[in-house]
Amino acid sequence: MTSRIPRDSRLRLVRPRPLAAAPTAVNQRRPRRPAPRPPEGTPAPAELARMARSGLAAAARVARWADAALGPGGDGATADGKATLSDETAERAAAELGLSPVQVRADWDTARLAGLIEVHGDSARPGWRLRAWNRDDSAVLRGWVALFDAWSLAHPEPADHEPAAVAEVVSAMPQVLSFLQLSAGPVPVDQLLDLLEQRVTELRTARCEIPYGPQPEPVQQQPADTPLAPLLDWSLRALAAVGALTYDDAHATLTPLGNWAVWVKLEQICVAAQSPAGNIEQAAEDMLRGCAQLRPNAARAEYRAWLAARPVGSAVTELIDAARGDDALLRGLAFEALRVVGAPAETDVSSVVEEPTLRPYALLWLAEHDGVDPEDAHEVLTREEATWLWVDTAAAVADHGEAPMLVRHLESAVQATVPSLLDEVRAVGHPRTVQVLVALAAAHPDPALAKAVRRAAFQVHTGG
């Protein structure tokens, strides 16, 4: 018998479908939620953008100086490959701008956190937000929100406190900010301290931190072993430094920008709570599994809401840990979520480039972050890396998709013919190679091609 399917084994080079679209579940179209309106008294977006430009004026000035003085990809701008401004560059900027080197460094760090400067190794270049600074209010507000999200990095933390206590306070501050937003006015610091202590106690209870050994009878539950008043003072001063609130020793009040930013994040949380997945409180892996059933746009909205509910640093760490797991679909979705994070994830993504499992995903993420068109980003991969990614994506389709989708996945291979694809798939050493080839052989309608794929799977399995 002969197959009715033409046996031309050449593959068309097309871009792979997004992993978020891999599952076949069709989402029911839901009525759109009316666009939420900000609280009464919130300035118009143009006025908020004016405030943000004013607050970031010094950072934008240093960023423009770097753009003009250092040139495209100015080498030697940083000292250690970690975005620390070199002494020579800081002295030069201070002399030309009439500032002190300390102020230049502070403005440089602010510009970097706001996305006005992007640092890659020892070179610096203007971020896309700087290019749009004078004409795009939304870019300005995104830049300010990026700085707001990174408030704990913008102001040095106390040196004499345990890192774990600092991390707990950072995790608890969203609730403190929500209380400030709902209060719509000055709030006594003592009241904020009570709320912070309650929240830290809840965080510790959720982790079941029970001390070993006999304990005295509790007279009153102590919210924390570490005094939290100094850490609250640091948090409020850091948030005041980025322009989110005003603070004296007795009261704290959100600024219009801070009030708007907290409202936006609360709205994102509400949207997530109303979503079909409803996974805002889930760990990263469970959140990604829930998003696997959503269309790409809905998944991105879910990522944004999930990210808004937790500190950026810990969220990025969770996503990368999820990407290290055995489920290839979650690996792809984790990097889609990291695309939503954007610039704050760059350092963490760069740090996993040498991990074979994550390397192709990280290289594509970095290329797109550098401004490469997503359609052309695959060109940064070597042939072996592209083949490894093809197998990993095929594993995701085999686990979560249907047979026709796996057959269509052939079209995304970089190899021109099926025999060359099989040779390179066998050589690349992906741990799921055998399962992928067996699934492809079972799914393909061409008996001759399926036989060749089964033979390749057997050879990989036996080491032949």
Side-chain angles (χ1 to χ4, degrees):
M1 295 179 65
T2 60
S3 171
R4 298 179 183 178
I5 307 298
R7 292 180 182 168
D8 179 6
S9 60
R10 293 187 62 81
L11 305 180
R12 290 185 291 112
L13 302 181
V14 298
R15 189 168 185 233
R17 297 180 62 192
L19 279 176
T24 56
V26 177
N27 299 295
Q28 298 294 325
R29 186 179 298 274
R30 294 180 296 144
R32 287 191 175 183
R33 182 172 179 254
R37 303 182 68 175
E40 186 177 354
T42 302
E47 177 63 15
L48 289 170
R50 186 196 64 77
M51 297 176 183
R53 285 189 180 95
S54 176
L56 292 171
R61 184 185 180 197
V62 168
R64 291 193 181 96
W65 175 87
D67 184 21
L70 303 180
D75 294 334
T78 65
D80 54 5
K82 298 179 182 178
T84 302
L85 195 63
S86 68
D87 291 338
E88 181 182 354
T89 304
E91 293 287 349
R92 180 181 170 191
E96 296 185 19
L97 295 176
L99 302 171
S100 70
V102 172
Q103 186 60 53
V104 167
R105 290 185 185 279
D107 293 341
W108 172 276
D109 289 341
T110 299
R112 186 170 51 83
L113 292 173
L116 300 177
I117 293 174
E118 296 177 359
V119 176
H120 301 267
D122 288 337
S123 64
R125 68 172 183 223
W128 69 270
R129 289 186 181 122
L130 184 64
R131 299 298 190 208
W133 199 246
N134 293 326
R135 56 179 171 77
D136 188 342
D137 288 347
S138 64
V140 174
L141 290 174
R142 285 194 207 100
W144 187 86
V145 170
L147 178 64
F148 171 71
D149 287 338
W151 65 265
S152 61
L153 304 177
H155 194 70
E157 66 189 51
D160 54 347
H161 286 88
E162 290 292 330
V166 175
E168 287 171 340
V169 169
V170 172
S171 298
M173 282 307 292
Q175 187 166 338
V176 174
L177 289 169
S178 298
F179 182 74
L180 279 167
Q181 197 268 342
L182 293 172
S183 299
V187 177
V189 172
D190 289 344
Q191 193 172 356
L192 296 178
L193 180 60
D194 289 341
L195 178 62
L196 178 65
E197 290 175 341
Q198 293 173 20
R199 181 57 182 153
V200 169
T201 298
E202 291 171 359
L203 291 171
R204 293 185 174 187
T205 302
R207 292 199 304 268
C208 297
E209 290 188 354
I210 303 174
Y212 287 100
Q215 300 295 317
E217 289 293 327
V219 178
Q220 182 178 2
Q221 186 178 23
Q222 296 300 317
D225 297 329
T226 303
L228 296 183
L231 290 176
L232 176 62
D233 179 73
W234 161 69
S235 301
L236 296 176
R237 291 187 187 282
L239 286 160
V242 301
L245 51 80
T246 58
Y247 170 56
D248 57 35
D249 292 337
H251 294 83
T253 310
L254 287 177
T255 64
L257 272 173
N259 186 70
W260 167 78
V262 175
W263 171 78
V264 167
K265 293 185 180 298
L266 288 173
E267 278 298 314
Q268 291 173 339
I269 292 171
C270 291
V271 169
Q274 296 179 4
S275 71
N279 47 49
I280 188 163
E281 295 183 356
Q282 301 295 326
E285 184 172 330
D286 294 330
M287 181 274 293
L288 294 171
R289 291 190 190 281
C291 290
Q293 301 300 322
L294 302 177
R295 294 184 182 276
N297 286 341
R300 282 190 288 272
E302 200 80 8
Y303 302 149
R304 283 192 290 270
W306 185 84
L307 291 163
R310 47 193 41 79
V312 175
S314 61
V316 170
T317 299
E318 266 198 78
L319 290 170
I320 290 179
D321 287 343
R324 291 189 175 105
D326 295 331
D327 194 327
L329 178 63
L330 296 192
R331 191 155 30 251
L333 292 175
F335 276 86
E336 289 297 322
L338 289 169
R339 286 179 172 85
V340 174
V341 177
E346 181 181 4
T347 300
D348 295 272
V349 173
S350 298
S351 71
V352 303
V353 165
E354 299 307 320
E355 296 184 31
T357 303
L358 303 183
R359 179 177 175 80
Y361 294 95
L363 290 175
L364 290 176
W365 189 98
L366 291 168
E368 293 178 24
H369 179 65
D370 286 346
V372 177
D373 191 304
E375 295 287 343
D376 302 324
H378 67 277
E379 295 177 3
V380 305
L381 303 180
T382 66
R383 183 89 162 203
E384 291 76 14
E385 291 162 353
T387 302
W388 196 99
L389 182 60
W390 185 91
V391 179
D392 206 49
T393 307
V397 176
D399 290 342
H400 300 277
E402 292 184 347
M405 190 177 297
L406 187 59
V407 173
R408 290 196 298 273
H409 182 58
L410 277 172
E411 299 175 346
S412 66
V414 298
Q415 291 76 10
T417 66
V418 168
S420 62
L421 170 64
L422 295 178
D423 287 343
E424 295 183 35
V425 163
R426 290 169 54 191
V428 81
H430 192 288
R432 294 291 304 279
T433 298
V434 173
Q435 295 93 327
V436 164
L437 293 178
V438 169
L440 181 58
H444 207 285
D446 186 330
L449 190 148
K451 181 178 179 181
V453 174
R454 275 194 301 272
R455 184 186 303 114
F458 178 78
Q459 290 169 341
V460 173
H461 177 63
T462 59

